[in-house]
Amino acid sequence: MRPGVWSYVFGSLGLIAFLATVPLYVSAANMLPPWCLIILALAWLGLLAFAIWLMRMSPAWVLAMPVLSVIALAMVSGVLEFVIVLAIA
């Protein structure tokens, strides 16, 4: 069964909102060492690949991607800060 038109509309809105989370990742990388930018970029690109896959399978679920992106940013940047603190100590 094909998804309805509104499913694609909401999926597109979710994808646009997900793309708007790029400044959050860039600003988080500005406070961390340069090698953290690579890790955050890989995390964001992985989420983008997941969003594209979701857009093909069930587009309305892409509406949840901005929330997932912010949660992933908090988790990844928290782990990176913990690693940096361990490296200093």
Side-chain angles (χ1 to χ4, degrees):
M1 188 166 101
R2 286 190 63 136
V5 173
W6 285 107
S7 182
Y8 286 108
V9 169
F10 290 127
S12 299
L13 287 175
L15 195 57
I16 291 169
F18 171 69
L19 293 175
T21 62
V22 170
L24 292 174
Y25 278 77
V26 172
S27 64
N30 286 337
M31 294 181 261
L32 297 170
W35 56 270
C36 294
L37 178 62
I38 296 169
I39 295 172
L40 287 174
L42 288 175
W44 191 86
L45 288 173
L47 287 172
L48 179 63
F50 183 59
I52 291 170
W53 178 80
L54 272 179
M55 195 70 175
R56 294 178 56 112
M57 295 304 191
S58 56
W61 280 101
V62 181
L63 197 55
M65 286 305 296
V67 175
L68 182 62
S69 177
V70 172
I71 291 170
L73 172 65
M75 290 173 48
V76 171
S77 62
V79 168
L80 289 174
E81 289 173 10
F82 181 71
V83 168
I84 291 169
V85 168
L86 285 180
I88 292 173

